[in-house]
Amino acid sequence: MITYEDRRLRTLADQERWTELLGLYRRARAAGGVTEAAPAGHLLAYGAPPELAARLFDPDGGPGTAADEADHDAGPLWEVLATRHSWRRLAPLLGPPPVRRLVLHTRALLGEDLRHGAEPDEEGVPLELAPWEIAGWDERSRVREYLRTGGARRALLALPAGREGLGPVELPEPGEPVRGLAATRLLAACAPWLQVVCVRGSGPDAAAQLAPGGRVTGGYLPFGQAYPGLVQAASDTPAVGSAQGRIALWRVLAAMTGERTVDLREVTALVARLRCFTWSEPTDELRYLHLAVEDPATGLAWAMSGCTPEPSYV
């Protein structure tokens, strides 16, 4: 339902009265917080000139008036802004380091060349997509498609996407659980609706911990093909953007190599040897993920499985 306030905000945006709209945003945020200010913030981030839109994150309006990385409507306000302007335009305008970092990584996801004029990432996450990231990830689906007046579109989260290439598989006995690993904890933190387990054994050994029954429709796929679904699962609420999902997955990969920060050569070698097993379940409907990732070098495998309701922004 479109309220009077919604119409008022859209009228200001249509008339490009951005300074007035920014004032309304700041007053709403100071008085009520993120939710009340969000519609005005989306309109500003999407439509205002970058010099004014970037002021959403500027504290010059007073206490409680500035957006941060948690402010969102159909998606994070910083992500909306990053889809609208290049890093070259935004870099001189953005002050808060967390927002700068996420905008920078969003521009990388959108294919901008950031080899010059961009600060290095604090955790070593590369600002250029790796070949295995690009191989299975359509550029048009890496970041939500935002709409001018509010809302967003996003590719459907489904892994496996269908049963093509899969076949009947008899799962072995469940592998022996391995507890206390950082990679398991980080994977579980990516999406609260996912069950995550680590075992000593193969991908099917791990899958047997979570898949119902001993027989599934499943098969293997390259990690690059599974990776987009993992990033999407890690950024599956309007408060979280694709850049945060990608950073979270690189943290997981770094932890699988035994490191706290990203060593690009170690992660590249890990991805090259990973074996991924995916399966479907009878209860799958629209939004689900079933995947086991096996590292033959360590003898460890992680399985994750779950489904989530359709989010409000789709």
Side-chain angles (χ1 to χ4, degrees):
M1 179 179 179
I2 299 175
T3 65
Y4 167 78
E5 185 63 19
D6 292 331
R7 289 194 294 270
R8 179 191 180 200
L9 296 175
R10 292 183 183 183
T11 297
L12 290 175
D14 289 342
Q15 296 175 356
E16 299 186 358
R17 294 159 63 183
W18 304 117
T19 302
E20 290 179 59
L21 194 57
L22 178 62
L24 286 174
Y25 172 84
R26 287 175 165 177
R27 288 193 291 275
R29 195 185 190 286
V34 172
T35 302
E36 291 74 9
H42 180 98
L43 292 169
L44 282 159
Y46 186 96
E51 294 77 12
L52 197 141
R55 291 180 63 195
L56 282 165
F57 307 97
D58 194 325
D60 65 358
T65 62
D68 58 30
E69 64 271 26
D71 286 64
H72 64 277
D73 188 31
L77 298 187
W78 52 263
E79 185 173 74
V80 180
L81 179 64
T83 65
R84 305 297 295 161
H85 308 285
S86 70
W87 176 246
R88 178 177 291 184
R89 292 289 303 277
L90 293 172
L93 305 172
L94 292 171
V99 171
R100 286 183 65 85
R101 183 192 189 202
L102 293 171
V103 169
L104 186 57
H105 277 282
T106 304
R107 292 307 309 171
L109 285 169
L110 293 170
E112 185 170 350
D113 185 350
L114 299 169
R115 288 175 292 181
H116 307 288
E119 54 259 34
D121 184 75
E122 61 194 45
E123 295 180 72
V125 180
L127 294 175
E128 185 177 9
L129 298 188
W132 51 267
E133 291 181 282
I134 295 172
W137 209 358
D138 185 344
E139 186 174 337
R140 295 169 296 179
S141 66
R142 293 176 195 162
V143 179
R144 297 178 183 96
E145 178 192 353
Y146 288 101
L147 308 179
R148 184 180 69 85
T149 55
R153 301 189 185 99
R154 197 176 196 190
L156 194 65
L157 171 58
L159 184 66
R163 296 197 171 197
E164 185 177 353
L166 306 182
V169 177
E170 291 287 346
L171 293 176
E173 289 297 312
E176 175 192 354
V178 177
R179 296 181 172 85
L181 295 182
T184 311
R185 173 177 53 80
L186 290 168
L187 263 176
C190 285
W193 49 271
L194 279 178
Q195 288 182 278
V196 178
V197 63
C198 178
V199 308
R200 196 167 300 283
S202 68
D205 292 335
Q209 284 279 357
L210 302 180
R215 185 180 177 88
V216 297
T217 300
Y220 285 89
L221 73 168
F223 181 76
Q225 193 175 332
Y227 176 74
L230 291 172
V231 174
Q232 192 174 347
S235 54
D236 197 46
T237 68
V240 182
S242 294
Q244 289 163 308
R246 178 174 179 255
I247 290 169
L249 261 295
W250 276 83
R251 285 188 189 126
V252 169
L253 294 171
M256 287 181 176
T257 69
E259 302 292 336
R260 289 175 178 259
T261 57
V262 172
D263 182 316
L264 188 54
R265 280 196 284 185
E266 289 287 336
V267 170
T268 301
L270 169 71
V271 168
R273 67 178 184 259
L274 286 178
R275 302 187 72 222
C276 297
F277 178 80
T278 188
W279 70 94
S280 63
E281 296 187 357
T283 56
D284 290 341
E285 293 184 357
L286 290 176
R287 301 174 52 76
Y288 54 86
L289 187 151
H290 311 297
L291 182 71
V293 179
E294 169 192 340
D295 181 2
T298 62
L300 297 175
W302 289 264
M304 59 216 81
S305 181
C307 60
T308 179
E310 183 120 355
S312 59
Y313 55 78
V314 172

